[in-house]
Amino acid sequence: MKKLLGIDSVFTKIFNLNLLYANPMYTSKAMKKEKYRENPEELYKSIFLYTYILGSIAMLIIYGFLFLMVDFKKMPYMLDYSIGFFLIMNIIQTFTYFFNVFYESRDMEAYMPLPVSERTVFKAKLAVVSIATIQLSIPIISLVSIFYFHNGINLLISILLGIVYFVLIGALVIVIDLWIMQLLVKTAILSKFKTSIITVISTVGMFANIVFIIMLQNTASKYAIKSISNKKIVYGFLSKLLLSGYGCIIFILVTFFTVGITYKFILRNIEGNFYKSINDINNIGKNTKNSTKREDGSRKYNHLQSGDQLNSKKTKSKYSLFKYNLSLINDSTVITQSIIMPTMLPIIIFVPSLINNLRYSGGMNFISSNATLISIVMGVFLGVMINFYPTNLAAIIISLDRENFIYFKALPIDLRKYIMEKLKFVLKISLIVPIITIIVSGYLMKFGFVNILISISLFVIMSTSISANWLIYDYKHLMIDWHNVSDLQNRMPKAIAITVFIVFIIIFSVSFAILGVVATMGLTIPLIAFILLIAAGVALISYLRFKKFLKEIK
């Protein structure tokens, strides 16, 4: 079977090695156990079981319950929206991850002198990132299975079709990510401003995906209105195609051959150029100022912080540390996944709701009569949502120091002040766009100056509280020997993180709906008091925990 798939012992070893890199937290804990040190094969099996298989089962169950609540027989268009949403969100989450793992990883230089074909190295790395990527498409199984079952198809056939579409859509995401990766590689080689160009392309791609998601949400909303007003079933393009016998077969065959041909084409372009592209990208980095920013920033900070200069040049040293921290985030993956992506998620959710409310007078009347309540909810919601996800900047900012952190600890500096400057830096970078979003949204929804100020204050409090907890997490799970930024972002399995995040969004959405009902009952003031009490509790617990943490590292 291994020969048939082109798998040899070298491929297996490189695959296993990259499997460990892809799951640093689990690997670190497992290697402390004697049974895994004596038998590494058990460690690989354990990673598959606990990180991928159990995580996938959890996603299947959670999304299964969620999709069971949707009547796909009356609302088949929800299939189109859901597939489009998962496809785009998967691409947003993974396309910079591919480039980071293949072309910016430290371990690549170790493979080059070995008598191993670059095709084998590429395929082994691709296998590992593909497992993590396709896992994010797991909800497709639940979605398609329930869709077909609700429309009268046998349960077993529905499940089989769900698995088929899961594989096809997962493979489609991988091929799209590979294509984007090659675009980024060619751009990086052609330009001396590698990081800037890649960041711009990644950001533009992310914005394009977000616009597409907003369009999907608006289309789904229009379909819902049309279905209710006309009292008839409304189909989307995909839902109509997949319920047709011939349409289903055509879709499967076309997607299968498209994915296969595209993969072969991409692999042929990569073969023979993989190591060359890596060297070209690295050589560009060496010839630009960006490649030395981290060292320069570190040197400046070390110079200012040495000896008695710490007290005499406080302002200058803080500025130097800010510049040093700024050099740490000069990476396309950090910029897109840890700064831009968390900021854009609320826009995906808020913009369609805002547009709908501005269209209909009923929505605006409700907002104007409950402006204080909604401004409070918006501030708390944004604060939690933007900082909740484990790839945000606060969760990796200390580990980005690499070996510099060990050097900083050896210097005569106050580590508590150093950590506080990290927190301040994260807040300065991550709060700007959301605050602008609150101001613009508040203006359009006519909140009034006081309510906008309340919303911003709550947002800053919640952001500071959660960011402080992520700093503690990063310090206690410090990684300084990471090969690429994705190693840091994957310390918590991505599938589990996304599932928890989606569940949080659903709980918050349900709570928001309940708040709307309660508000119409004239209980606005008790409701405001309750939300503020919860926010104050979170802030107090976070403050006490962070204060205790700072005392411990004194």
Side-chain angles (χ1 to χ4, degrees):
M1 184 66 180
K2 286 186 177 181
K3 288 183 178 179
L4 184 65
L5 295 173
I7 298 173
D8 54 30
S9 59
V10 176
F11 173 92
T12 304
K13 284 182 171 60
I14 297 174
F15 173 82
N16 288 339
L17 189 61
N18 280 274
L19 192 67
L20 300 181
Y21 291 153
N23 300 276
M25 285 290 292
Y26 188 87
T27 300
S28 178
K29 289 180 181 178
M31 288 304 290
K32 294 176 183 178
K33 299 178 181 178
E34 191 173 341
K35 68 173 183 177
Y36 293 128
R37 289 200 300 268
E38 293 177 352
N39 189 2
E41 291 295 327
E42 289 298 316
L43 175 58
Y44 307 137
K45 292 176 184 177
S46 181
I47 289 174
F48 262 105
L49 176 62
Y50 290 103
T51 304
Y52 297 113
I53 295 175
L54 292 182
S56 298
I57 292 171
M59 289 180 75
L60 270 175
I61 294 170
I62 291 169
Y63 283 102
F65 279 116
L66 293 176
F67 291 130
L68 276 172
M69 293 185 281
V70 180
D71 189 346
F72 287 104
K73 190 172 180 63
K74 292 181 179 178
M75 298 183 293
Y77 58 85
M78 286 301 295
L79 176 81
D80 301 67
Y81 167 72
S82 300
I83 287 179
F85 181 82
F86 283 115
L87 180 67
I88 299 302
M89 285 301 292
N90 200 336
I91 293 169
I92 289 175
Q93 289 287 326
T94 57
F95 75 97
T96 53
Y97 170 48
F98 270 62
F99 181 83
N100 193 242
V101 168
F102 282 99
Y103 291 97
E104 295 187 322
S105 182
R106 273 185 170 186
D107 66 330
M108 289 308 305
E109 292 181 4
Y111 296 125
M112 291 181 183
L114 300 176
V116 181
S117 71
E118 55 188 82
R119 184 187 181 95
T120 300
V121 174
F122 182 85
K123 283 190 170 182
K125 278 185 163 288
L126 179 61
V128 173
V129 296
S130 294
I131 291 170
T133 300
I134 203 170
Q135 189 183 22
L136 301 181
S137 299
I138 284 287
I140 298 296
I141 298 177
S142 303
L143 170 65
V144 174
S145 299
I146 293 170
F147 169 77
Y148 275 116
F149 183 68
H150 279 184
N151 282 279
I153 306 298
N154 177 275
L155 179 60
L156 182 60
I157 295 174
S158 297
I159 293 171
L160 288 173
L161 286 169
I163 294 170
V164 169
Y165 286 119
F166 153 69
V167 173
L168 286 175
I169 291 172
L172 183 62
V173 171
I174 291 166
V175 165
I176 292 171
D177 283 338
L178 284 172
W179 180 80
I180 296 173
M181 180 181 75
Q182 287 309 104
L183 175 65
L184 294 175
V185 169
K186 285 180 171 41
T187 306
I189 292 172
L190 291 172
S191 173
K192 63 179 181 178
F193 303 106
K194 182 193 75 171
T195 302
S196 301
I197 294 296
I198 291 173
T199 301
V200 168
I201 290 177
S202 301
T203 305
V204 169
M206 192 174 291
F207 270 106
N209 286 327
I210 288 169
V211 169
F212 185 68
I213 288 174
I214 292 171
M215 288 171 62
L216 279 175
Q217 289 177 324
N218 285 331
T219 302
S221 178
K222 288 177 183 177
Y223 278 150
I225 294 167
K226 186 178 178 181
S227 177
I228 293 167
S229 59
N230 297 338
K231 294 183 179 180
K232 68 176 185 178
I233 297 173
V234 178
Y235 293 89
F237 173 76
L238 267 182
S239 53
K240 190 173 183 178
L241 184 69
L242 299 189
L243 284 174
S244 165
Y246 289 115
C248 175
I249 295 169
I250 291 170
F251 179 80
I252 291 172
L253 291 175
V254 169
T255 307
F256 176 78
F257 283 110
T258 301
V259 167
I261 293 168
T262 308
Y263 172 73
K264 285 288 184 183
F265 176 76
I266 291 171
L267 202 63
R268 188 178 297 172
N269 284 339
I270 290 171
E271 194 171 3
N273 296 312
F274 184 39
Y275 287 169
K276 181 179 180 301
S277 296
I278 293 170
N279 286 327
D280 288 343
I281 290 170
N282 289 336
N283 288 334
I284 290 167
K286 288 174 184 176
N287 293 326
T288 59
K289 292 180 181 180
N290 287 340
S291 63
T292 58
K293 272 189 177 180
R294 180 188 298 259
E295 288 79 5
D296 288 346
S298 177
R299 230 177 275 124
K300 288 177 186 176
Y301 178 63
N302 295 342
H303 172 71
L304 288 170
Q305 294 297 320
S306 58
D308 297 330
Q309 288 178 324
L310 178 64
N311 295 320
S312 63
K313 297 184 178 180
K314 282 184 179 180
T315 304
K316 196 174 180 182
S317 65
K318 285 182 180 180
Y319 175 69
S320 182
L321 182 55
F322 181 85
K323 286 178 67 178
Y324 166 70
N325 284 324
L326 203 59
S327 73
L328 296 180
I329 64 172
N330 186 35
D331 178 279
S332 57
T333 303
V334 174
I335 293 169
T336 53
Q337 296 295 325
S338 297
I339 299 174
I340 297 175
M341 182 62 189
T343 305
M344 291 298 104
L345 277 173
I347 295 176
I348 296 173
I349 292 176
F350 268 116
V351 169
S353 300
L354 179 59
I355 292 170
N356 289 331
N357 282 318
L358 291 174
R359 276 183 193 161
Y360 306 109
S361 58
M364 285 306 298
N365 289 336
F366 177 79
I367 290 172
S368 59
S369 58
N370 295 279
T372 303
L373 173 63
I374 294 173
S375 63
I376 288 172
V377 171
M378 185 167 73
V380 173
F381 176 77
L382 281 175
V384 175
M385 188 177 179
I386 289 174
N387 298 281
F388 183 82
Y389 203 66
T391 61
N392 79 79
L393 188 58
I396 63 172
I397 189 64
I398 299 175
S399 292
L400 285 176
D401 282 339
R402 288 195 192 268
E403 296 83 358
N404 282 344
F405 184 71
I406 304 299
Y407 184 62
F408 288 150
K409 289 180 74 174
L411 291 172
I413 66 172
D414 189 337
L415 195 57
R416 294 172 300 175
K417 290 182 179 178
Y418 172 78
I419 296 293
M420 281 301 298
E421 288 303 315
K422 287 280 188 185
L423 178 59
K424 290 175 185 176
F425 173 79
V426 168
L427 294 174
K428 287 174 184 176
I429 295 296
S430 60
L431 297 189
I432 299 171
V433 174
I435 287 175
I436 294 171
T437 303
I438 292 173
I439 293 170
V440 172
S441 300
Y443 173 77
L444 292 174
M445 291 190 283
K446 301 177 181 177
F447 279 173
F449 176 76
V450 175
N451 286 329
I452 291 174
L453 197 61
I454 291 171
S455 189
I456 291 173
S457 301
L458 283 170
F459 166 71
V460 172
I461 290 169
M462 296 305 294
S463 295
T464 305
S465 301
I466 298 170
S467 294
N469 282 285
W470 278 124
L471 271 173
I472 297 171
Y473 170 85
D474 191 25
Y475 184 88
K476 291 186 176 180
H477 300 89
L478 186 68
M479 279 184 67
I480 60 172
D481 57 346
W482 45 274
H483 292 83
N484 54 73
V485 175
S486 298
D487 290 347
L488 296 178
Q489 295 176 334
N490 291 338
R491 282 180 291 182
M492 184 181 293
K494 192 167 283 188
I496 294 174
I498 288 178
T499 302
V500 172
F501 184 73
I502 293 293
V503 170
F504 161 74
I505 295 298
I506 291 164
I507 291 171
F508 212 101
S509 299
V510 172
S511 301
F512 192 76
I514 293 171
L515 290 179
V517 174
V518 174
T520 57
M521 297 169 62
L523 298 173
T524 304
I525 294 175
L527 207 54
I528 289 173
F530 177 71
I531 295 169
L532 291 176
L533 190 64
I534 292 175
V538 171
L540 180 61
I541 292 170
S542 299
Y543 169 76
L544 293 174
R545 186 166 183 254
F546 193 65
K547 188 178 179 182
K548 181 184 177 184
F549 164 70
L550 291 177
K551 284 183 179 179
E552 289 174 354
I553 64 170
K554 185 177 179 181

